[in-house]
Amino acid sequence: MAVTPPARLLPRKRPHQKRAAVTVDAIFEATVQVLLTQGLDQLTTTRVAARAGVSVGTLYQYFPNKQSLLYALNEHYLDVVAVKVETCCARMQGACLADMVEELVGVYWQAKMERADLTRALYRSVAELDNDALIEVFARRTNAATEAMLRTASDARHSDTTLVTTTLLAVIFGTVRNVFERDLPAPLQNKLRGELAKMCLSYLKAT
Amino acid sequence: MAVTPPARLLPRKRPHQKRAAVTVDAIFEATVQVLLTQGLDQLTTTRVAARAGVSVGTLYQYFPNKQSLLYALNEHYLDVVAVKVETCCARMQGACLADMVEELVGVYWQAKMERADLTRALYRSVAELDNDALIEVFARRTNAATEAMLRTASDARHSDTTLVTTTLLAVIFGTVRNVFERDLPAPLQNKLRGELAKMCLSYLKAT
DNA sequence: CCCAGACGTGAACAATGCTTCATATATTAT
DNA sequence: ATAATATATGAAGCATTGTTCACGTCTGGG
């Protein structure tokens, strides 16, 4: 249950002046660019720094090592997704199960798909990381939001909402990742999204 | 729809004499050992060769580069799992949906769990590979077997068995992977396996 | 028994990349 | 204006590792 990220992956210091903030932003953006155009194995600190228009030394002033860069990137994008899920769940409180599921799947799917290439790159990059803390935090947040939503469902109540929630999210998150791994044609992807929602709904109704 | 693996990932030559076969086996086994004890980032050709008790040169006689080693490993273990799924599907032809799902989920889950640490290591290692061909072949095989099984179900028939099959497998494979990614306590893992089967069944019944 | 080809060796090479540090410049506070 | 602090630089150090190759050793068929 460790939620504390390893110290070696944390940023070295925060920017205090304006230009430093600009620099850090540029480094982030450059990391994404290099990841997308050159790929994970071509992602080197020197290349990122070059792309960001700063020197390597500058990069190392804010990130203690290469991995901490990827860590921060993943942290950021997981946070974006978590916020979307939380917002969605809050909005759908009191709705019926069908609407809840449709929205939940839709929001998560969309969040991943709208930047598909980046999503894929990040999925790959986490493999090189000690990502337990990231996953843990993301799971906690989405679980809490979803469980709270499900408890307000207008058309059903479950005996073990916690288990149902965990299952639901494991299935949704896992399936989406699986779809990303195989490079399926877009029409089939859309059908799968619908089928996934159907499956989740029939589970929620049946339990 | 490329099923041909990149040439640079294929073995350089096959062993012709007995001692060569022994050597190749030792290299495979050593790769697994290094992967488990040292981790993916510590997996170097020199280390693998040392662990296998051969020289690096020998390793390079059979594998053109480091990645081809991991490729061959993944290919092998995916084949093992595919065979298990195929056998299971063949065995369950004519059964009812509930039994089919229970077995399918059970066999796949078990196949991955019985060497959990290796599974985790391999999940990580594929991220560094051009694994399209691997995934594709595995998907084809399991899809064919599952679809053939579903068509013989004693208690239901689906209008679009192909789509149902693809959905089913995407969900099962994805969920299992998701469970691996988070390091959930064993009791919860078992509950999830049950819930996953329930979900799949209710989907198959409802469609 | 003999030798062509299969197999095995491991030092050395080449390339690359992470990270540091001494130095220089910019900003802010007083 | 001046000191103190924050930020930026990038060449060089250090370590690592993937890969080759010229040279020995072994095996099995004829």
Side-chain angles (χ1 to χ4, degrees):
Chain A
M1 285 274 175
V3 281
T4 328
R8 60 185 304 284
L9 292 181
L10 292 181
R12 210 163 229 168
K13 69 176 183 188
R14 310 207 142 276
H16 286 115
Q17 305 178 355
K18 238 190 305 183
R19 78 187 152 138
V22 170
T23 298
V24 172
D25 279 355
I27 292 175
F28 268 105
E29 191 51 37
T31 309
V32 174
Q33 291 306 321
V34 173
L35 214 47
L36 291 183
T37 62
Q38 324 253 89
L40 180 59
D41 44 344
Q42 295 294 333
L43 186 113
T44 70
T45 49
T46 339
R47 244 185 282 266
V48 168
R51 177 104 201 188
V54 301
S55 80
V56 230
T58 301
L59 189 155
Y60 275 91
Q61 214 145 39
Y62 300 100
F63 301 95
N65 50 58
K66 178 184 159 183
Q67 299 186 1
S68 67
L69 243 183
L70 289 173
Y71 191 90
L73 247 198
N74 275 285
E75 194 177 35
H76 175 251
Y77 280 97
L78 279 180
D79 178 68
V80 168
V81 176
V83 166
K84 288 187 178 174
V85 169
E86 285 166 340
T87 309
C88 165
C89 287
R91 181 164 46 83
M92 300 306 289
Q93 292 210 357
C96 64
L97 288 176
D99 290 348
M100 284 179 173
V101 163
E102 189 62 43
E103 282 300 300
L104 185 57
V105 171
V107 162
Y108 187 76
W109 197 285
Q110 169 68 15
K112 293 288 185 182
M113 286 295 171
E114 70 189 353
R115 304 194 64 177
D117 44 1
L118 181 56
T119 299
R120 226 183 301 267
L122 291 179
Y123 271 144
R124 288 191 163 218
S125 76
V126 281
E128 308 199 331
L129 260 44
D130 189 358
N131 57 8
D132 292 351
L134 285 180
I135 306 270
E136 178 77 17
V137 167
F138 182 76
R140 268 205 219 291
R141 290 178 60 179
T142 52
N143 240 284
T146 306
E147 185 169 339
M149 174 182 74
L150 283 180
R151 287 192 191 284
T152 71
S154 64
D155 52 345
R157 206 116 319 178
H158 302 95
S159 59
D160 189 346
T161 313
T162 303
L163 179 58
V164 168
T165 304
T166 306
T167 304
L168 195 68
L169 294 186
V171 168
I172 295 176
F173 297 165
T175 304
V176 169
R177 175 163 192 162
N178 187 274
V179 169
F180 262 98
E181 217 146 50
R182 311 170 50 184
D183 210 5
L184 299 176
L188 181 51
Q189 282 188 17
N190 284 326
K191 281 192 192 168
L192 275 178
R193 207 204 58 189
E195 294 296 301
L196 174 59
K198 273 207 290 191
M199 185 184 293
C200 291
L201 181 58
S202 61
Y203 166 70
L204 289 178
K205 294 268 193 190
T207 306
Chain B
M1 284 274 176
V3 280
T4 331
R8 58 186 305 284
L9 292 182
L10 292 182
R12 209 163 229 166
K13 70 174 183 188
R14 311 208 143 275
H16 286 115
Q17 304 178 357
K18 237 189 306 180
R19 82 188 149 138
V22 170
T23 299
V24 172
D25 278 355
I27 292 175
F28 269 104
E29 190 50 38
T31 309
V32 174
Q33 289 308 320
V34 173
L35 214 48
L36 292 183
T37 61
Q38 323 252 95
L40 181 58
D41 44 344
Q42 296 293 334
L43 185 111
T44 71
T45 48
T46 337
R47 244 184 284 264
V48 168
R51 177 103 201 189
V54 301
S55 81
V56 230
T58 301
L59 189 155
Y60 276 91
Q61 217 148 37
Y62 300 99
F63 302 94
N65 50 57
K66 178 184 158 181
Q67 299 186 3
S68 66
L69 241 185
L70 289 173
Y71 191 90
L73 246 199
N74 275 284
E75 195 176 34
H76 175 251
Y77 278 99
L78 279 181
D79 178 67
V80 168
V81 176
V83 166
K84 288 188 179 172
V85 169
E86 286 167 339
T87 309
C88 165
C89 286
R91 181 165 46 85
M92 299 307 288
Q93 291 210 359
C96 64
L97 288 177
D99 290 348
M100 284 179 173
V101 163
E102 189 61 43
E103 282 300 301
L104 185 57
V105 170
V107 162
Y108 187 76
W109 198 285
Q110 170 67 15
K112 294 287 186 182
M113 285 297 171
E114 69 190 354
R115 304 193 63 178
D117 44 2
L118 180 57
T119 299
R120 225 184 301 268
L122 291 180
Y123 271 144
R124 288 192 161 216
S125 76
V126 281
E128 307 198 333
L129 259 45
D130 189 357
N131 57 6
D132 292 351
L134 284 180
I135 307 271
E136 178 76 15
V137 167
F138 181 76
R140 268 204 220 291
R141 290 178 62 179
T142 52
N143 241 282
T146 307
E147 186 169 339
M149 173 182 74
L150 283 180
R151 287 194 191 282
T152 71
S154 63
D155 53 344
R157 205 116 319 179
H158 302 95
S159 59
D160 189 346
T161 312
T162 304
L163 179 58
V164 168
T165 304
T166 307
T167 304
L168 195 68
L169 293 186
V171 168
I172 296 176
F173 297 165
T175 305
V176 169
R177 177 167 187 157
N178 187 275
V179 170
F180 263 98
E181 216 146 49
R182 311 169 51 186
D183 210 5
L184 299 175
L188 181 51
Q189 283 189 15
N190 284 327
K191 280 192 192 168
L192 275 178
R193 207 203 59 186
E195 293 298 299
L196 174 59
K198 273 207 290 190
M199 185 184 292
C200 291
L201 181 58
S202 61
Y203 166 70
L204 289 177
K205 294 268 193 190
T207 304

